[in-house]
Amino acid sequence: MTLKLYAHPFSSYCQKVLIALYENGTPFSLRMLSTENAGAMAEFATLWPLKRMPVLVDGDRTVVEATIIIEHLGLYHPGPVRLIPEDARAALDVRMMDRFFDNYVMTPMQKIVVDCIRVEENRDPQGVAQARELLDTACGWLDGRMAGRAWAAGRSFSLADCAAAPALFYADWVHPIRDVFANVRAYRNRLLVRPSFARAVDEARPYRPLFPPGAPDRD
Ligand SMILES: N[C@@H](CCC(=O)N[C@@H](CS)C(=O)NCC(=O)O)C(=O)O
């Protein structure tokens, strides 16, 4: 049975799952979520009324939340690249870093992006300033964490790096990572050349004009 992923290639949380799928060469069919694809949009709304992408359909199971989708893939469709270590203690560290990237990098990044879509009178400058401050604090902490490390947790590429790649990619677009955070900048560059993420970035390239704050001419 083919896995179906309801997603859009430009979405950060969708990229998180795409990276996991590409790491293991897991076959799936993309149900592209775009206004031109009303059928997929309607299925998506029925499957997950909260309408947050990505959503994975595996047979009669509907799986939501990017992290849980990656956990599901590891359990039901394992491949050569194990994204969550077998050792429970090592896995805990991976999950901690996954939460870090979602909560303290992805969330403030999204706050800044979404604010750009709002009409002027509905904007939230205080919330955006707090999001920028949180990104700086998160990068400061991450810079120390990444000293002497290639990947966010343990010695190999993991779920945590799947979360980190799109989070840091877009965070740097909306709030450039400061030069003093050299370890974070180097880590972002390392993620950019990881073939699974490089592929996700390439596939999303045609959608760059849609980026609400405007996409920079790089990466
Ligand atoms: N906690 C969810 C977040 C998913 C999410 O925020 N997805 C965004 C796209 S990156 C979305 O669907 N946004 C649509 C909206 O907010 O209406 C996850 O981990 O999958």
Side-chain angles (χ1 to χ4, degrees), residues 12 22 25 46 52 62 75 87 102 118 135-136 141 145 149 155 163 166-168 170 174 194 212:
S12 51
Y22 296 158
T46 304
R52 294 290 184 279
T62 298
L75 277 176
D87 175 76
D102 275 16
R118 292 182 172 173
L135 280 175
D136 281 335
W141 179 81
R145 163 96 188 175
R149 278 178 187 273
R155 291 222 178 90
L168 290 173
Y170 288 117
V174 296
R194 180 89 181 176

Side-chain angles (χ1 to χ4, degrees), residues 33-131:
L33 293 174
S34 67
T35 43
E36 303 86 69
N37 204 354
M41 295 288 268
E43 287 163 34
F44 172 60
T46 304
L47 287 165
W48 188 224
L50 275 72
K51 291 197 255 183
R52 294 290 184 279
M53 54 183 161
V55 167
L56 181 80
V57 174
D58 183 2
D60 57 6
R61 274 175 207 251
T62 298
V63 190
V64 300
E65 292 292 309
T67 296
I68 305 305
I69 295 173
I70 295 173
E71 296 255 14
H72 176 96
L73 292 170
L75 277 176
Y76 292 96
H77 304 274
V81 180
R82 200 182 170 112
L83 294 167
I84 297 148
E86 199 169 7
D87 175 76
R89 290 177 179 83
L92 194 60
D93 200 36
V94 165
R95 292 189 175 103
M96 180 184 83
M97 289 308 292
D98 173 67
R99 294 300 76 224
F100 167 79
F101 287 112
D102 275 16
N103 291 325
Y104 307 119
V105 182
M106 205 82 110
T107 298
M109 176 278 287
Q110 282 186 325
K111 169 76 187 168
I112 298 169
V113 173
V114 167
D115 202 67
C116 294
I117 305 167
R118 292 182 172 173
V119 291
E120 192 68 39
E121 61 267 31
N122 290 342
R123 293 219 170 131
D124 174 17
Q126 194 182 349
V128 168
Q130 283 169 344

Side-chain angles (χ1 to χ4, degrees), residues 19 94 101 146 150-153 156-166 187 191:
I19 295 167
V94 165
F101 287 112
M146 291 310 296
W151 305 116
S156 50
F157 190 91
S158 73
L159 161 69
D161 303 296
C162 298
Y187 175 46
L191 290 163

Side-chain angles (χ1 to χ4, degrees), residues 168-197:
L168 290 173
F169 179 82
Y170 288 117
D172 186 53
W173 277 14
V174 296
H175 187 76
I177 297 165
R178 288 160 46 190
D179 287 340
V180 283
F181 304 139
N183 295 324
V184 181
R185 296 191 68 84
Y187 175 46
R188 184 178 181 275
N189 289 338
R190 209 173 298 126
L191 290 163
L192 274 169
V193 296
R194 180 89 181 176
S196 56
F197 185 49

